[in-house]
Amino acid sequence: MAISWIRRLNIVFLSLLLLVVVNFLKCDASVHDYSKEKFSAKGNAFVVHGGSEGIYGSSSFVGQNDTSGRGESFIRFEKIVFRRPEETTVSNKESISTTVQAIIFEVEDREAIGGSAYGGQRAVCCTSDLAKLGVCTQGTVIYRPSATNSDWPQVLTAKFNGNDLVATLPSRIIQITRSGMYNLYFIYCDPSLNGLIIEGKTIWKNPTGYLPGRMAPFMNFYGFICLAFIVLAVFWFSQYARFWREVMPLQNCITLVIALGMLEMSLWYFEYAQFNKTGVRPVGITIWAVTFGTVKRTVSRVIILVVSMGFGVVRPTLGGLTSKVIMLGLTFFIASEILELVENVGTVSDLSGKARLFLVLPVAFLDAFFILWIFTSLSKTLNKLQLRKSTAKLEIYRRFTNALAVAVVVSVGWIAYEIYCKSTDVYNERWQNAWIIPAFWHVLSFCLLCVICALWAPSQTSMRYAYSDDASEELDREDASLIKSFPLHTKDGSKPPDLKEMLKVDTDSLVVDDLGEEDKRE
């Protein structure tokens, strides 16, 4: 039954993965591509969102003929074309306006867009009432100069002449001199242009490259975290090589997690470096980085769960729980992989889509289930170790439990902080520090991995933490105590009866194991 369910989940996963990849292969991140996108009605306007990115300002002017823009910040419009259906040309003769406008504004100036007459409902397009007041031209976008820069917002206009089916927006470079979260919208106000589509692209650039402002700090971050993984790997593999005869299966799993972590961080660094250099996000590297990261997180959670159950330490197998653990791990992998693909492959703007919320919820639920199962299993394992008086194993499990408890408490606190930041920063005005929130999770997981490596590092005594026949250990301790309490001589001075005959065991077997001796010393 479990195998059939796993096969079904694999089929669903492959289908969703193929759908996501096909959907995002055409997206190029800082190159915002508009491929026959249709306008949607927003109030009395028809709108296409052209992009939102945090951009760091540059100080000098970018000339119209400068296409490289090295060290400069700009938004470049390339081959923007608007096409309308033929049936709109008949009724278009009496239309008020046949223009389409592109408006670029910094998020702090959002109140400068739109207006209302006599305190009524706010409108984006100029109405007849506002036109009578002389504040705008009917059929055009309402905007006022920014309080900090009179040249902003920037507005570009494409006009349909007569019954033309195509209008072209002139190619232009808009220099960004002030750091901020910039928004681009294509808007038309004439309802007769219903069915209008847009084609072309805009290119957004920061002074240091094509990475969006919110993502720019990640390149250095991934470089540092990759170096941290290398340092951890040097320590771990040196211990692994010295005591390879004493290595347990658990330590092999930790080695796998370290290797996956190094691969993930390296791929992310090269992905961001390539993206920053060319402005085109390398889809292949992104998918591999996402997949390695998802595999690492899944393997890490499964390892922590089976260790919490005492696998390899107090029990030789998981028994009937094996299929349930595999099912939980596979489900978590599928949910996380889809979420990461949607969030990273083909990301265009610095704004998260609403669809992401529905993908976050399953991952959060599965994470909570992992945590609940882990701590429930840890409680049972600690009780077993206390009953068996395995002091050395008990001590390491207590430290392991404390580390997990601290990680969970810190995680809950950070989630609360993240929710607070998102709820109080609706327009992403704090975009320059937004990278810290996702970066924290990488740091936390790395710190927890370091703690686990310190607790389970290969050593000369590694095998004392491995599973052994606890029942025989208890019997040995009882026999050893019996031997110590047995008198060596009787009252009359004669020798006591033969111990071999009384216990019917070989005296050579009555030896307390290393773990028992250590427990007594402790």
Side-chain angles (χ1 to χ4, degrees), residues 14-202:
L14 291 174
S15 301
L16 289 172
L17 179 62
L18 180 61
L19 179 64
V20 170
V21 172
V22 170
N23 186 43
F24 288 113
L25 277 176
K26 61 183 181 181
C27 299
D28 295 320
S30 66
V31 179
H32 296 249
D33 189 18
Y34 318 113
S35 179
K36 297 183 178 180
E37 293 190 33
K38 294 184 178 181
F39 287 72
S40 57
K42 303 290 183 182
N44 67 341
F46 300 86
V47 180
V48 165
H49 183 214
S52 297
E53 285 190 18
I55 302 180
Y56 293 93
S58 57
S59 56
S60 58
F61 178 74
V62 178
Q64 295 292 328
N65 297 325
D66 181 10
T67 58
S68 63
R70 292 184 177 89
E72 304 295 338
S73 300
F74 60 78
I75 301 174
R76 185 166 69 232
F77 292 77
E78 289 191 358
K79 300 177 181 178
I80 303 294
V81 176
F82 303 98
R83 302 182 187 276
R84 63 179 179 180
E86 291 187 20
E87 54 268 23
T88 63
T89 59
V90 178
S91 60
N92 190 53
K93 294 179 180 179
E94 299 179 356
S95 63
I96 298 174
S97 174
T98 55
T99 61
V100 182
Q101 294 174 294
I103 184 164
I104 309 166
F105 62 94
E106 206 272 324
V107 69
E108 292 183 358
D109 300 326
R110 59 186 178 275
E111 296 298 328
I113 310 300
S116 61
Y118 312 111
Q121 185 178 1
R122 192 177 185 85
V124 174
C125 291
C126 186
T127 62
S128 58
D129 291 336
L130 288 169
K132 291 177 182 178
L133 295 175
V135 297
C136 59
T137 303
Q138 187 172 355
T140 61
V141 177
I142 305 169
Y143 67 92
R144 296 174 298 282
S146 169
T148 56
N149 189 343
S150 59
D151 294 333
W152 285 82
Q154 294 278 334
V155 180
L156 307 179
T157 302
K159 187 174 182 179
F160 288 94
N161 295 317
N163 286 332
D164 289 346
L165 298 177
V166 177
T168 302
L169 196 68
S171 296
R172 186 176 172 183
I173 295 176
I174 305 296
Q175 184 201 11
I176 307 299
T177 57
R178 184 167 65 107
S179 298
M181 173 63 67
Y182 286 86
N183 297 271
L184 168 63
Y185 288 91
F186 298 97
I187 304 173
Y188 72 85
C189 301
D190 187 357
S192 66
L193 291 177
N194 186 31
L196 188 72
I197 61 173
I198 179 175
E199 298 176 354
K201 63 182 178 180
T202 56

Side-chain angles (χ1 to χ4, degrees), residues 328-491:
L328 179 60
L330 185 59
T331 306
F332 179 83
F333 173 78
I334 294 171
S336 298
E337 180 78 354
I338 295 173
L339 171 62
E340 293 296 323
L341 286 174
V342 170
E343 195 171 35
N344 292 284
V345 179
T347 300
V348 176
S349 298
D350 275 343
L351 295 174
S352 299
K354 293 181 180 179
R356 183 180 179 274
L357 176 63
F358 297 100
L359 297 174
V360 168
L361 289 178
V363 177
F365 173 78
L366 291 170
D367 257 331
F369 192 83
F370 260 115
I371 293 171
L372 180 62
W373 199 357
I374 285 170
F375 280 96
T376 302
S377 301
L378 273 173
S379 178
K380 294 178 181 179
T381 302
L382 288 170
N383 288 335
K384 287 181 181 179
L385 292 173
Q386 284 179 336
L387 291 174
R388 296 176 183 180
K389 298 181 180 179
S390 300
T391 311
K393 294 179 182 178
L394 181 61
E395 181 62 25
I396 197 171
Y397 261 86
R398 280 176 175 167
R399 294 176 182 175
F400 179 59
T401 304
N402 292 337
L404 288 181
V406 170
V408 170
V409 171
V410 173
S411 297
V412 172
W414 193 257
I415 290 172
Y417 174 73
E418 184 175 354
I419 293 173
Y420 167 78
C421 288
K422 290 184 181 297
S423 61
T424 58
D425 188 27
V426 179
Y427 299 102
N428 281 4
E429 295 178 87
R430 295 194 289 266
W431 59 273
Q432 296 185 51
N433 298 322
W435 67 277
I436 298 175
I437 291 177
F440 171 82
W441 296 111
H442 289 290
V443 174
L444 181 63
S445 62
F446 177 77
C447 291
L448 184 58
L449 179 61
C450 289
V451 171
I452 293 174
C453 289
L455 291 176
W456 304 96
S459 63
Q460 292 179 341
T461 58
S462 292
M463 293 306 295
R464 68 181 177 178
Y465 300 116
Y467 172 79
S468 58
D469 190 354
D470 292 319
S472 63
E473 290 178 6
E474 292 175 1
L475 178 61
D476 290 345
R477 284 194 289 268
E478 292 174 1
D479 292 343
S481 62
L482 178 62
I483 293 172
K484 291 181 179 180
S485 63
F486 197 89
L488 297 178
H489 298 278
T490 60
K491 293 182 178 179

Side-chain angles (χ1 to χ4, degrees), residues 264-291:
E264 179 197 9
M265 294 300 114
S266 300
L267 286 170
W268 277 124
Y269 176 79
F270 287 116
E271 194 261 0
Y272 274 66
Q274 182 71 12
F275 179 18
N276 190 55
K277 181 179 179 180
T278 63
V280 177
R281 196 160 194 177
V283 176
I285 299 179
T286 306
I287 292 175
W288 278 112
V290 165
T291 303

Side-chain angles (χ1 to χ4, degrees), residues 489-509:
H489 298 278
T490 60
K491 293 182 178 179
D492 58 0
S494 60
K495 292 183 179 180
D498 188 25
L499 291 176
K500 291 184 179 181
E501 294 181 2
M502 292 183 64
L503 299 176
K504 294 183 179 180
V505 294
D506 188 355
T507 54
D508 293 336
S509 67

